């Protein structure tokens, strides 16, 4: 493939670019004769190009040097076989009108075998063909002799990086994909590896408005150059941001606490709830993950019931996931929500029988680690009713799904028609900057004001708030919530079509751009297909699309891209998934 269409681009440069002013002379580095010349005048090509032939008499070897992006008059008076002595100015640097549209520069390349070409030879290669082209084109600096310290340091390759990382990073941290990726650049919904290969990021809900969104980057850079300090000083950014964030939420959610991670947000939410209710017991949904601290692992079944976990402490109470596909009550049961919510009521009764009471019920507005599960209608209404009857506090964990991702609403809990007492936010809030927040009611905030000050060194600093403000404004101005709705609906419809064709797909679900594809070996027994899910995620990565797997059986493909994801991106994902589902491993 010559061009840059398709999933793999020619991003490996096999010559050396020397930037010079237009009309600078090009001197022959060695004795030689003109082999061939041509004006390769299509856009982004070389423009006027000369190839010289050189001979190493003693060794009986012939090789070539190529000069691209020359001026048009460099080709005047040339003929094949014309001798060019070392040091002779034989061409000039072209301008961008004639040189293929580039900033003025010389492309210089050594070629040992021209493969019968004349006046042209590939100067860039696909990463997977790098070794072949480099075997034909030795380092151009062998001839030029530019001091090596003038070149940027060479990056380490993926294997070396992995080894060095293993020496200094805790081994409890895994790396995505069977063949790890080295990612060096992000732009909107794309990530780029060290070879410049683009990957469509279909899984990163942190870079919510797009990787490295220029307005978010600029907001952070500008504020960082002026002031960054803690929240014990008055500052416009803090107040402005708190006001704007609260404006996205229903009454009476009007009091903000700014922190630095989703875990810090949930940690504080627990403290607020426990201080307000003077109770310790927490009700959580099975398979949930709420954060990495000691207290949060204690309320995260995903961790305490998983490898290395030690089970639930006595003050943590699990209720079943309201999963109408695989759970006890299916979508065919009109009372599924009420039945699942009754588990909450039952647990409250058990707590009360021990003379305690519930402090909080914490639940994501869509279950992420649980397997991208959409709560059945009314589930939160019913569950909240039971919790509030017992004077408990209802916490909505919006760390994964907030900020317009669900498409129809800005907050996931709004799809359930409830107003939580505490909302926790993270991941997308700062588009990758370590910002997170807790928003609660004045009443709960007042209970927490018991003399023990809450201070957070970095939370809510002017840089974080500038970034948070930029994220809110980009979501609104680029209408990303509407895009999530539109593209998410398109993607969901096409995924459902795939279901008709591939029996491995047992369920397709989600809201907006938060989707899950559950894979099963048998649509009746619902036997999970984790090997196939792992295979598909890795094959998609090889084909240039990043997604991951989750759910208690690791058999759910997770799709939660930046909200700038387009319909064309969705079509590319569907086409590739369709092809991979046809491979033997998925049969
Ligand atoms: N809550 C949920 C639902 C999450 O998914 C996560 C992170 N995966 C957290 C809380 C914790 O956030 P953080 O990693 O920013 O501490």
């Amino acid at each position: 493939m010559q061009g840059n269409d398709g999933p793999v681009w020619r991003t490996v440069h096999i010559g050396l670019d020397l930037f010079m002013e237009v009309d600078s002379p090009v001197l022959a580095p060695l004795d030689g004769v003109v082999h061939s010349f041509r004006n390769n005048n299509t856009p982004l090509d070389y423009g006027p190009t000369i190839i010289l032939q050189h001979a190493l008499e003693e060794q009986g070897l012939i090789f070539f040097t190529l000069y691209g992006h020359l001026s048009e008059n460099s080709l005047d008076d040339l003929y094949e076989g014309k001798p060019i002595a070392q040091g002779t100015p034989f061409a000039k640097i072209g301008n961008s009108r004639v040189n293929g549209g580039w900033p003025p520069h010389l492309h210089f390349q050594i070629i040992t075998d021209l493969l019968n070409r004349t006046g042209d030879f590939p100067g860039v290669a696909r990463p997977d063909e790098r070794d072949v082209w480099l075997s034909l084109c030795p380092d151009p600096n062998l001839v030029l002799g530019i001091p090596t310290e003038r070149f940027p340091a060479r990056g380490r390759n993926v294997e070396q990086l992995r080894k060095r990382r293993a020496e200094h990073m805790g081994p409890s941290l895994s790396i995505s994909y069977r063949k790890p990726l080295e990612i060096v650049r992000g732009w909107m919904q794309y990530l780029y590896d060290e070879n410049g290969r683009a990957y469509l990021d279909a899984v990163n809900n942190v870079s919510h408005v797009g990787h490295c969104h220029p307005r978010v980057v600029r907001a952070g850079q500008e504020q960082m150059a002026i002031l960054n300090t803690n929240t014990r000083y008055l500052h416009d950014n803090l107040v402005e941001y708190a006001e704007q964030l609260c404006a996205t939420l229903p009454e009476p959610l009007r009091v903000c606490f700014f922190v630095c991670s989703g875990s810090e947000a949930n940690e504080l939410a627990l403290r607020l709830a426990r201080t307000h209710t003077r109770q310790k017991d927490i009700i959580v949904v099975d398979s949930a993950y709420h954060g990495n601290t000691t207290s949060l692992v204690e309320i995260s079944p995903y961790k305490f019931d998983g490898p290395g976990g030690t089970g639930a402490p006595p003050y943590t109470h699990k209720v079943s996931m309201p999963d109408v596909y695989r759970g006890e009550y299916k979508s065919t049961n009109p009372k599924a929500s009420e039945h699942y919510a009754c588990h909450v009521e039952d647990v409250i009764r058990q707590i009360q029988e021990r003379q305690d009471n519930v402090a909080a019920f914490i639940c994501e507005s869509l279950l992420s680690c649980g397997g991208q599960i959409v709560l059945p209608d009314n589930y939160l209404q019913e569950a909240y009713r039971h919790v509030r009857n017992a004077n408990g506090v209802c916490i909505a964990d919006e760390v994964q799904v907030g900020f317009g991702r669900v498409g129809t609403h800005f907050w996931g809990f709004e799809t359930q028609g409830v107003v939580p007492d505490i909302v926790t936010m993270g991941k997308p809030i700062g588009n990758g900057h370590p910002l997170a927040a807790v928003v609660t009611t004045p009443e709960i905030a007042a209970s927490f004001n018991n003399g023990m000050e809450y201070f957070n060194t970095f939370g809510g600093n002017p840089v974080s708030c500038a970034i948070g403000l930029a994220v809110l404004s980009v979501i609104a101005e680029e209408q990303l919530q509407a895009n999530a709705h539109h593209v998410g609906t398109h993607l969901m419809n096409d995924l459902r079509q795939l279901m008709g064709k591939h029996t491995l797909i047992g369920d397709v679900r989600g809201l907006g751009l938060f989707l899950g594809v559950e894979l099963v070996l048998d649509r009746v027994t619902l036997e999970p297909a984790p090997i196939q899910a792992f295979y598909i995620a890795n094959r998609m990565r090889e084909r240039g699309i990043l997604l991951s797997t989750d759910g208690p059986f690791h058999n759910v493909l997770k799709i939660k891209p930046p909200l700038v994801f387009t319909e064309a991106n969705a079509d590319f994902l569907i086409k590739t998934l369709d092809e991979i589902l046809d491979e033997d491993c998925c049969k």
Side-chain angles (χ1 to χ4, degrees):
M1 182 174 42
Q2 281 288 309
N4 279 340
D5 297 327
V8 183
W9 292 10
R10 296 187 307 152
T11 51
V12 176
H13 195 265
I14 41 187
L16 187 68
D17 279 347
L18 297 158
F19 287 80
M20 283 177 276
E21 283 181 23
V22 173
D23 283 338
S24 302
V26 179
L27 280 58
L30 302 161
D31 285 340
V33 299
V34 173
H35 171 272
S36 50
F37 54 94
R38 188 160 90 197
N39 190 351
N40 296 295
N41 59 358
T42 46
L44 301 182
D45 209 327
Y46 286 133
T49 310
I50 299 175
I51 297 177
L52 300 184
Q53 178 174 326
H54 310 277
L56 291 174
E57 305 277 337
E58 278 176 25
Q59 290 88 343
L61 281 178
I62 287 180
F63 69 96
F64 308 87
T65 50
L66 179 148
Y67 307 81
H69 309 301
L70 302 173
S71 67
E72 275 173 323
N73 61 9
S74 301
L75 304 189
D76 295 348
D77 306 326
L78 285 188
Y79 56 90
E80 287 175 17
K82 179 178 180 179
I84 307 278
Q86 183 178 30
T88 312
F90 70 101
K92 287 185 175 166
I93 298 295
N95 62 41
S96 54
R97 231 176 350 92
V98 302
N99 78 355
W102 304 96
H105 72 284
L106 175 74
H107 177 103
F108 175 72
Q109 189 168 329
I110 306 178
I111 302 160
T112 54
D113 187 336
L114 273 174
L115 307 173
N116 296 328
R117 292 167 204 230
T118 53
D120 192 16
F121 195 83
V124 284
R126 285 169 41 160
D128 54 347
E129 294 176 351
R130 177 204 296 255
D131 291 349
V132 175
W133 291 108
L134 290 187
S135 74
L136 296 174
C137 300
D139 182 354
N141 203 31
L142 289 173
V143 169
L144 300 181
I146 300 168
T148 43
E149 59 274 16
R150 302 270 303 272
F151 291 90
R154 272 187 181 258
R156 291 179 285 270
N157 70 26
V158 169
E159 219 17 74
Q160 286 170 323
L161 262 182
R162 178 150 65 166
K163 261 177 84 183
R164 296 189 61 169
R165 171 179 157 128
E167 281 165 27
H168 300 291
M169 302 294 294
S172 54
L173 178 63
S174 65
I175 304 179
S176 300
Y177 301 112
R178 206 165 30 195
K179 242 168 87 189
L181 279 170
E182 182 185 353
I183 295 297
V184 297
R185 179 87 170 95
W187 180 254
M188 308 316 276
Q189 65 273 48
Y190 300 100
L191 289 171
Y192 298 85
D193 73 8
E194 79 284 13
N195 291 312
R197 182 178 178 188
Y199 290 84
L200 178 62
D201 187 351
V203 74
N204 201 328
N205 60 343
V206 176
S207 45
H208 193 63
V209 301
H211 290 278
C212 304
H213 192 292
R215 282 193 47 204
V216 178
V217 170
R218 203 176 322 117
Q221 285 172 333
E222 284 177 359
Q223 184 56 48
M224 211 185 293
I226 298 170
L227 172 75
N228 200 17
T229 185
N230 67 57
T231 44
R232 283 201 170 113
Y233 299 101
L234 295 178
H235 198 281
D236 260 351
N237 287 9
L238 177 68
V239 177
E240 183 64 32
Y241 186 44
E243 280 174 3
Q244 287 199 25
L245 195 57
C246 287
T248 68
L249 289 155
E251 294 277 3
L253 293 164
R254 286 294 170 264
V255 184
C256 298
F257 295 82
F258 292 113
V259 295
C260 309
S261 68
S263 297
E264 276 192 18
N266 280 332
E267 184 75 35
L268 175 58
L270 286 189
R271 287 184 58 195
L272 287 166
R274 283 175 170 157
T275 310
H276 183 66
T277 58
R278 297 169 193 269
Q279 300 295 331
K280 185 159 187 180
D281 290 56
I282 307 289
I283 303 174
V284 296
V285 177
D286 203 2
S287 293
Y289 174 68
H290 294 293
N292 58 29
T293 65
T294 306
S295 323
L296 294 176
V297 168
E298 286 182 353
I299 64 155
S300 297
Y302 182 77
K303 292 288 179 201
F304 66 63
D305 283 342
T310 51
Y315 40 83
T316 297
H317 310 271
K318 264 188 326 191
V319 291
S320 358
M321 279 199 287
D323 175 357
V324 293
Y325 175 67
R326 183 178 284 283
E328 196 180 340
Y329 311 107
K330 310 274 192 237
S331 52
T332 45
N333 186 332
K335 292 234 168 270
S337 287
E338 285 84 346
H339 291 319
Y340 282 119
C342 273
H343 289 189
V344 176
E345 192 183 19
D346 292 345
V347 163
I348 292 172
R349 199 172 311 118
Q350 288 161 24
I351 300 171
Q352 289 171 339
E353 276 164 13
R354 293 189 333 213
Q355 309 304 316
D356 284 321
N357 206 346
V358 56
F361 166 66
I362 182 167
C363 183
E364 286 185 273
S365 304
L366 277 88
L367 311 182
S368 53
C369 287
Q372 305 291 96
I373 288 171
V374 181
L375 303 176
D377 285 350
N378 299 327
Y379 173 72
L380 283 186
Q381 270 187 14
E382 286 296 302
Y384 280 19
R385 187 167 61 80
H386 297 307
V387 174
R388 284 172 174 157
N389 281 345
N391 297 320
V393 162
C394 299
I395 304 172
D397 182 336
E398 291 270 344
V399 169
Q400 291 263 358
V401 300
F403 292 89
R405 176 163 297 277
V406 298
T408 50
H409 298 79
F410 198 79
W411 299 107
F413 65 77
E414 292 174 294
T415 64
Q416 286 275 310
V418 293
V419 178
D421 304 301
I422 300 175
V423 180
T424 58
M425 309 163 189
K427 296 187 190 285
I429 189 172
N431 210 47
H433 179 82
L435 168 63
V438 180
V439 185
T440 188
T441 64
E443 194 192 345
I444 292 176
S447 304
F448 194 59
N449 186 21
N450 61 1
M452 183 191 286
E453 193 174 359
Y454 182 80
F455 176 65
N456 192 309
T457 302
F458 301 122
N461 66 64
V463 172
S464 297
C465 290
I467 288 173
L469 280 164
V471 170
L472 286 180
S473 115
V474 173
I475 295 171
E477 279 174 27
E478 296 186 9
Q479 301 177 14
L480 295 180
Q481 182 183 321
N483 190 61
H485 184 55
H486 172 74
V487 178
T489 307
H490 176 80
L491 196 49
M492 173 92 94
N493 289 340
D494 284 1
L495 286 168
R496 291 217 161 119
Q497 296 251 310
L498 285 190
M499 228 177 133
K501 201 169 152 199
H502 303 284
T503 53
L504 188 66
I505 302 181
D507 192 29
V508 171
R509 54 189 176 239
L511 294 177
L513 281 174
F514 193 80
L515 300 168
V517 180
E518 177 149 1
L519 305 180
V520 293
L521 296 175
D522 184 320
R523 284 185 177 171
V524 178
T525 64
L526 307 187
E527 187 185 344
I531 293 170
Q532 287 75 3
F534 178 77
Y535 173 81
I536 290 170
N538 280 285
R539 283 289 292 135
M540 291 289 276
R541 167 242 183 272
E542 284 167 12
R543 299 282 303 270
I545 300 173
L546 306 181
L547 38 79
S548 64
T549 60
D550 221 326
F553 305 104
H554 314 288
N555 66 327
V556 180
L557 299 175
K558 276 203 290 203
I559 304 175
K560 46 186 181 102
L563 298 196
V564 287
F565 210 69
T566 63
E567 235 181 77
N569 294 148
D571 294 344
F572 174 45
L573 186 153
I574 293 289
K575 180 170 173 290
T576 311
L577 182 60
D578 188 17
E579 287 167 10
I580 291 171
L581 283 162
D582 269 333
E583 294 177 5
D584 286 350
C585 187
C586 298
K587 292 287 159 202

